[in-house]
Amino acid sequence: MMSFNALIAIALGYVVFLFFIAFLAERRAKAGQNSWVSSPWIYTLSISIYCTAWTFYGAVGYAARSGLEFVTIYLGPTLVMVGWWWILRRLVRIGRAQRITSIADLVSSRFGKSTQLGMIVTVISVIAATPYIALQLQSVTLSFAVFAETGGANWNEADFNAAAVWTSVGLAVFTVIFGTRNLDANERHHGVVMAIAVEAVVKLLALVAVGVFVVWGIGGGPSEILDRIDNSDIVLWHNDGGRWISLIFLSAAAFLCLPRMYQVLVVENADERHLQIASWAFPLYLFVMSLFVVPIAVVGLDLMPPGSNPDLFVVTVPLSEGRDGLAVLSFLGGFSSATSMVIVATIALATMVSNHIVVPIWLRLQANQHAVMSGDVRHVILLSRRLTVAGILGLGYLYYRFSVGGTALATIGLISFTGTVQVLPAMIGGIFWRGATGIGAAAGLVTGLIVWLWTLFLPTFGTDAVISQAVMDHGLFGLSILRPEALFGISGLDPLVHGIFWSMLLNTAMFVICSLLTFPAPLERLQGAQFVNVFDHSTAAPAWTNAATGAEDLLIMSQRIMGSAEAQALFEQEALDQGKSGYLPEVTPTFIEKLERELAGSVGAATAHAMILQLIGGSSVSVEDLIAVADEAAQILEYSNRLEAKSKEQESTARALRAANEKLTALSIQKDAFLSQISHELRTPMTSIRSFSDILREGEMSQDEYRRYAAIIHAEAERLTRLLDDLLDLAVLEHGQVVLREQTGRMSDLLDRALGAAGLQDGVLKVVRDPKTEDVVLTTDLDRLVQVFINLISNARKYCDAKKPQLKIKVTREGQTCTVDFIDNGSGIAPEKRALIFEKFSRVADGSKAGGAGLGLAICREIMQRLGGDVTYVAHKSGASFRVRLPHVQRVDALEET
């Protein structure tokens, strides 16, 4: 006979073993060796967190009381994994795209990152989880009591309470150490997941071992067990189809909505493809877990004394047969079922409470930005999570003390499930219906919570504890339509079915009606498009404009939440992507959106949005932009149902056609302007030539007049020739037909040639040079480069309007690049005209004064592009300034050394 102290020692040893497994997994994950931890099999085993003490102990008791009805608790998750896995895939994709950390984060982020909705979902989840945690504490204390009574002790209420307290303390310590030790950017807990996977194996082996012992060790084999089942008092099938449908729906919905299930299904998912294995492996796990439930229940009723608790047959049957080792294994299986559920549930709930209640309230109480950037925020988050773990376990203990008593485990679990699934309409509606609004979600959630509290939760405390017997019989305020077990006068339903029906019906109705009557805010519409079309859009549209705050402030805040190393790596990578050195990037909308997503992994999407909002001082998306983005997504969704496979190709083609059309339009306008300008430029000298030719033909003029008119005709012919030469030169350059003749020469010699050819002998323009800086050797088409210099010098001579015109030529060398600045002391070029000066026929001054067709700078630009450099206008405090940039130059001394 095993002593109770030995059982305690074994339980403590088992906990130490789990500590070691969790510690090893955390260490390997931190070292990057997490391939095993992130495998699909570990993921599948972690989903077994669904199988709590209710399914380990309570399923046998459920079968003893209600026959095969316990199967409904397994059928719901099986249907989800086999037939509705695409919902899970959508949730996983949304969770990864939006950096969702909890089910409250999912709902709040979908409806405009609403802090209020996050609070509502968190409150519902905490209240609904309280009975379930109490159920786990009850199962552990009852199993302890069985071993204590076998050793001769007779536990009283104080012993049960003490066992529950110490169990709560131990679970709190484990959860704090491995679940709230730090802020993970993804809220993933490798150590906890590995420990849960180990516990999944333990509870499966334990239940199978007990089942094998019962079937072959006691029953004599499968045929004898089947005879016992036929002759037992258990009614396997209760002809209540409505209850079966309700329970299957309830278990399926709870599988999606339970915070602990969302934690392991979505948050802890390392690869979306893991769902493919889990979709068949987890239903197989459930099948094995349920395989021996009925045989254990039948044999337990035959062997155990009348009045024995059927919830404990898994332990008491082996003990009654003297199989202490098997009983201890069974105890460890039940202990694993209870502890794994409590650990993951408290982690998920603590994350929700800190992200959606504590931090938003704390931020609201801060009067300035300093609190957001200070180290207090990280401390507040971690401390709030640790206190929440203790608080949730404390609530579970209080519920255990004041309500559960002798209530069956299955009953408590079903009541908790019903509270949890109140999130279902908002969650499913949010990921499939773009018209859903935050007001509709809030109305549905609050309505469902109130109905669940009134019809199922509060009555569990017992008659006259919270609700008086008079209210139970006659309704609130004497209104029979408000009776907790017969709302609106509909009686005769099973209390659980009644509560499920009315809470879900009114919840869904309020959600749909209020969503139809209200219009979603711009951010809600944007988020709705991202959630509903998650498979079409991998990232969300930017939600911020350029921020007034600096990158340094954002870095300080990020370090306080993410940790210095990770935050600095993020900022440094962004700066590198922007082409900047250091670790302070430009605060662009794209970067703010990216930073918000990273922070959301630690504190939730809504809280991250609020923190950046407080630091920056405002959101950045205009109503028009948000509505335009959302409307565009809606049009794509509405008109591409049958052409979805080709939508990307069609969109790309449309963009190309629009771009081509815009280019053709611009070319047409440019062509018209070109023809108009060239016809004017050609007509002017030709008209002069024709007019003066007619005068010469008439004769009867002096010799001096002949010479003067002939000179005019000659000048106009030269002007026409220059214009045609410029046009031909520009055409050759634009079409890339020019042949460059590379030569090597000195910059000083080129400038001398240009100044001599520019006609500065009259002394109108004074030129200032620094010969020391002109000792630069370059290899290029020197004649073309001189042509550029001549144009720029000639322009300065023509357009400089200073009383004493002066041109400064400044040569600067940086590495292998050389720049030549031509700076005059005139009034310069007006800002509104600077964008046009390099266009053909562009003249920003009086054309008669210029004496040209406006092709000089256009030719300069084309020449420099062919030479691998460029020519630009540089804003200067006085005068016009043109800069010529030349690549691949050498100093004279460097050339001589080679």
Side-chain angles (χ1 to χ4, degrees), residues 598-611:
E598 293 295 328
L599 294 177
S602 295
V603 297
T607 303
H609 187 76
M611 294 178 72

Side-chain angles (χ1 to χ4, degrees), residues 603-616:
V603 297
T607 303
H609 187 76
M611 294 178 72
I612 292 182
L613 182 67
Q614 182 168 354
L615 189 62
I616 290 176

